[in-house]
Amino acid sequence: TGAYERNLASLDTRGDLLFRASQIYPATDERFAIRAVGAPDPDTGERAGTTVTFEHNGRDADTPLSAGGRLLVDATHIRQNGVLRAPAGRIVLGVTDPADEASQDRFGTGALVATDSVVLGEGGETSVSLNGKTIPWGYTVDGRDWRYGLYGGTNLNREDGDLDAPPEKAIEILGDRINFNEGAVLDTSGGGDLQAQEWIAGTAGTRG
């Protein structure tokens, strides 16, 4: 099933999931949570184990024009053999404490499960780098105030549309057991730019 909260979309299942693509990434400044939480046993209450697997389809893909997004994954077991990207954003694989308030705030409303294992497989790429790209993100007002949201309207994703810093990028791998195989890549490298835009009225019309 799917759900949407403010600035959070989610894919929820009680079974296993397999994603096979050239790359998987969140939209600009959006959170996307994948929550594979097994059904509870009627007698013991213990939840069935689940596995989320990412695989590459063999086709290369360029860094997406997306920035500041967050990709969140929760399951009993996570197998990362694909390409996950969140340029200038955050990728979280796993949950340590489902009852933790920080985890609930991060993943949104709904059940969570403690992650038992995360395997970063050979050839798998998990990246929050811009990879030298210049990516559109927000706009400026009078060449001074940096904002992200609707022009002259209510910002959908933030309490205050004014920005004082670019989005923070990070990769978090959480679980009881983490297996980092040779050839797996975690990329938090610098390089690239976020570029705002502004339309300026002029005698010959407007210019960006």
Side-chain angles (χ1 to χ4, degrees):
T1 62
Y4 184 83
E5 300 175 37
R6 177 175 174 169
N7 197 26
L8 170 65
S10 68
L11 173 63
D12 298 275
T13 180
R14 290 190 168 186
D16 299 336
L17 287 172
L18 169 63
F19 297 89
R20 184 178 292 115
S22 57
Q23 64 178 338
I24 295 172
Y25 62 92
T28 290
D29 204 45
E30 292 289 335
R31 284 185 298 161
F32 193 89
I34 298 170
R35 302 181 292 212
V37 181
D41 184 278
D43 297 323
T44 65
E46 183 176 350
R47 292 188 177 275
T50 57
T51 300
V52 172
T53 303
F54 299 98
E55 294 183 355
H56 193 253
N57 65 4
R59 299 177 181 177
D60 293 333
D62 203 0
T63 300
L65 293 179
S66 167
R70 284 146 289 175
L71 179 62
L72 317 168
V73 183
D74 179 32
T76 313
H77 305 286
I78 299 171
R79 306 286 181 261
Q80 166 33 3
N81 304 309
V83 177
L84 304 181
R85 289 175 173 153
R90 182 180 294 266
I91 296 175
V92 178
L93 301 181
V95 169
T96 51
D97 182 1
D100 180 61
E101 184 176 351
S103 296
Q104 294 289 337
D105 289 343
R106 173 179 286 175
F107 279 83
T109 58
L112 297 174
V113 64
T115 300
D116 180 60
S117 67
V118 180
V119 176
L120 303 175
E122 179 182 0
E125 176 187 339
T126 306
S127 173
V128 293
S129 172
L130 293 172
N131 285 329
K133 287 279 190 179
T134 297
I135 296 180
W137 200 74
Y139 62 97
T140 56
V141 177
D142 295 331
R144 299 178 305 171
D145 298 327
W146 189 17
R147 296 181 179 176
Y148 186 89
L150 300 177
Y151 282 94
T154 302
N155 189 295
L156 296 179
N157 298 333
R158 302 176 185 276
E159 297 297 334
D160 183 354
D162 289 339
L163 305 170
D164 55 15
E168 181 183 7
K169 62 182 181 180
I171 296 174
E172 297 181 48
I173 311 296
L174 307 171
D176 289 341
R177 295 174 292 134
I178 298 173
N179 187 352
F180 194 107
N181 287 299
E182 183 176 357
V185 175
L186 296 180
D187 187 359
T188 61
S189 61
D193 290 290
L194 297 177
Q195 181 171 295
Q197 64 174 338
E198 179 172 351
W199 293 98
I200 303 172
T203 56
T206 60
R207 58 188 176 87

